[in-house]
Amino acid sequence: MDALIRDIYKMPAGQEFEGFFIIENVEIKKHRTGEPYLRLIVSDRTGTLPILWWKPPKDADLTIFKKGDVVFIKAYVELFQGNVQPKIRLMRHAEKNEFKREKFIRSSRFNIDEQFTKLLEIIETIQNPYLKKLLELIFYDDEIASAFIKTPGGKFIHHATIGGLLEHTLGVVEICEVVAKRYKSIDRDLLITAAILHDLGKIDEYSIDMAIDRTDEGILLGHIFTGSELISKKIDEIEGFPKKLKIKLLHCILSHHGEYEYGSPKKPKTLEAVALHYADALDSKVKGYEEHIERELGEGKGWTKRHFAYEVPIFFDGEISYEE
Ligand SMILES: [Fe+2]
Ligand SMILES: [Fe+2]
């Protein structure tokens, strides 16, 4: 049985388990006697777990275990100061075809092809010829499109799934449609275009090998910059694209995180920018809550543990549903 971390946290002391996990962090420590042991943090798609290899075999080479490695572990649950901290009996590297990648990354619950078709249909509704041309240039580019449909929306907080970016993008677009209908002063075409493109830079921000990880480019530049740069380049390929429209669109992208401390170099200063910012925050937060509930409770009901970013436990006694 390939144990899930979510379930290990519910096991009583002494219970044995085994499974495949990714090493998130590993340190070689020493007992007082000088003998080495390993202190690890491992993960799967349901969470992270601190675990110790307290008594590795004397001849074991402990330096071969690195962050990002997939390992097979046999262990038993121990409690340390009331917290679950299992001890390993056996650990080795996993073979490529021994485990399922889905243990580590989930796919979006929505059908990716259907969602992408939906996105192309929305592009068809854009009246402004320059914005429409821009969206077509981007989404009819095979390289961009194939990256876009696979990319996750985030590493852990929200839409941390294959196809998560597409799912999140459609979520933000739908919220923006409602806002544009309610507030007639908003330029609907500009807002919808900005919503479709707001996180485009994430195609360079994340890698999905075994787990979702941020790329060097993502860490050093971030999706607000890489997205703005790509959009700007594509705009420059379109003859006669109005300069003011370019500035207003880029402003939406640059300000969509709303605050300097969340990585936006500009605060929202147009109706479209402020609408996009809150639509983005709304979609990512509700989804972030939902994913935390799924990760923590599975099929169960009640309270989750405190969310590490939102800083509250979450209550849920319904049933997760993805019916359209
Ligand atoms: Fe973003
Ligand atoms: Fe976003």
Side-chain angles (χ1 to χ4, degrees):
M1 259 287 275
D2 192 0
L4 287 171
I5 286 177
R6 164 175 86 211
D7 300 328
I8 295 169
Y9 275 104
K10 293 179 204 142
M11 291 176 183
Q15 183 160 341
E16 308 261 344
F17 66 88
E18 61 180 51
F20 296 94
F21 305 95
I22 292 182
I23 297 178
E24 290 293 329
N25 192 44
V26 52
E27 285 173 275
I28 300 179
K29 300 283 215 184
K30 282 213 163 92
H31 290 292
R32 265 189 225 133
T33 56
E35 297 291 319
Y37 69 94
L38 281 189
R39 180 199 291 271
L40 303 123
I41 308 243
V42 296
S43 74
D44 66 17
R45 67 177 153 77
T46 65
T48 58
L49 178 75
I51 190 165
L52 298 171
W53 201 6
W54 200 240
K55 285 184 193 153
K58 291 237 173 340
D59 54 350
D61 179 2
L62 299 181
T63 60
I64 60 169
F65 297 103
K66 302 261 185 303
K67 177 179 156 45
D69 290 354
V70 180
V71 287
F72 175 76
I73 286 175
K74 274 183 185 235
Y76 60 98
V77 172
E78 272 216 339
L79 297 178
F80 178 67
Q81 293 173 347
N83 295 315
V84 169
Q85 192 182 55
K87 286 204 177 126
I88 295 173
R89 290 199 192 284
L90 174 157
M91 178 164 82
R92 61 168 171 81
H93 279 105
E95 303 287 336
K96 265 242 160 345
N97 41 22
E98 249 188 318
F99 58 90
K100 294 206 175 78
R101 198 157 159 256
E102 294 76 56
K103 169 96 193 260
F104 306 113
I105 331 182
R106 286 184 300 125
S107 286
S108 163
R109 301 283 186 124
F110 295 95
N111 178 305
I112 289 181
D113 291 334
E114 279 173 28
Q115 297 270 291
F116 192 64
T117 307
K118 218 177 189 180
L119 184 77
L120 295 181
E121 284 166 8
I122 293 163
I123 292 175
E124 281 305 303
T125 69
I126 301 285
Q127 302 291 308
N128 182 304
Y130 296 105
L131 294 175
K132 189 171 184 178
K133 180 89 201 128
L134 172 65
L135 291 167
E136 286 171 351
L137 258 186
I138 292 172
F139 290 96
Y140 287 98
D141 177 321
D142 284 345
E143 211 176 300
I144 296 177
S146 62
F148 192 84
I149 59 173
K150 273 188 262 151
T151 299
K155 179 170 154 66
F156 204 71
I157 300 187
H158 72 96
H159 293 88
T161 54
I162 295 173
L165 175 60
L166 178 58
E167 186 186 327
H168 169 56
T169 300
L170 287 175
V172 177
V173 167
E174 273 178 34
I175 295 166
C176 285
E177 288 282 20
V178 174
V179 179
K181 254 195 207 119
R182 181 79 176 86
Y183 296 95
K184 302 288 186 213
S185 324
I186 284 179
D187 177 342
R188 181 260 173 193
D189 278 0
L190 175 59
L191 177 58
I192 298 305
T193 303
I196 294 173
L197 296 176
H198 82 281
D199 275 341
L200 177 67
K202 286 190 175 170
I203 61 174
D204 299 313
E205 188 167 24
Y206 295 105
S207 64
I208 33 169
D209 182 15
M210 273 313 137
I212 298 168
D213 228 331
R214 289 186 87 197
T215 59
D216 292 343
E217 196 177 351
I219 295 167
L220 294 171
L221 303 178
H223 70 272
I224 291 192
F225 174 78
T226 56
S228 303
E229 197 191 28
L230 178 55
I231 294 162
S232 192
K233 267 191 198 149
K234 292 287 179 188
I235 287 176
D236 293 343
E237 287 177 28
I238 302 168
E239 231 187 87
F241 196 103
K243 189 154 182 231
K244 204 167 203 174
L245 187 59
K246 175 179 176 180
I247 293 169
K248 286 199 288 187
L249 176 60
L250 288 177
H251 173 68
C252 289
I253 310 298
L254 292 173
S255 65
H256 83 263
H257 286 191
E259 301 290 336
Y260 305 132
E261 54 267 45
Y262 296 131
S264 264
K266 290 287 162 198
K267 288 190 186 185
K269 295 187 184 79
T270 62
L271 288 178
E272 294 78 17
V274 77
L276 174 63
H277 164 55
Y278 283 104
D280 180 38
L282 177 59
D283 187 68
S284 46
K285 237 180 181 171
V286 175
K287 184 69 186 179
Y289 269 53
E290 189 180 68
E291 285 182 338
H292 190 61
I293 289 165
E294 280 189 279
R295 220 171 15 235
E296 290 267 317
L297 301 181
E299 308 281 291
K301 296 183 193 317
W303 286 97
T304 67
K305 285 205 292 291
R306 202 173 111 111
H307 190 286
F308 74 99
Y310 303 139
E311 300 185 326
V312 286
I314 298 165
F315 181 76
F316 183 71
D317 63 356
E319 246 153 64
I320 298 277
S321 166
Y322 288 93
E323 271 172 41
E324 297 222 28

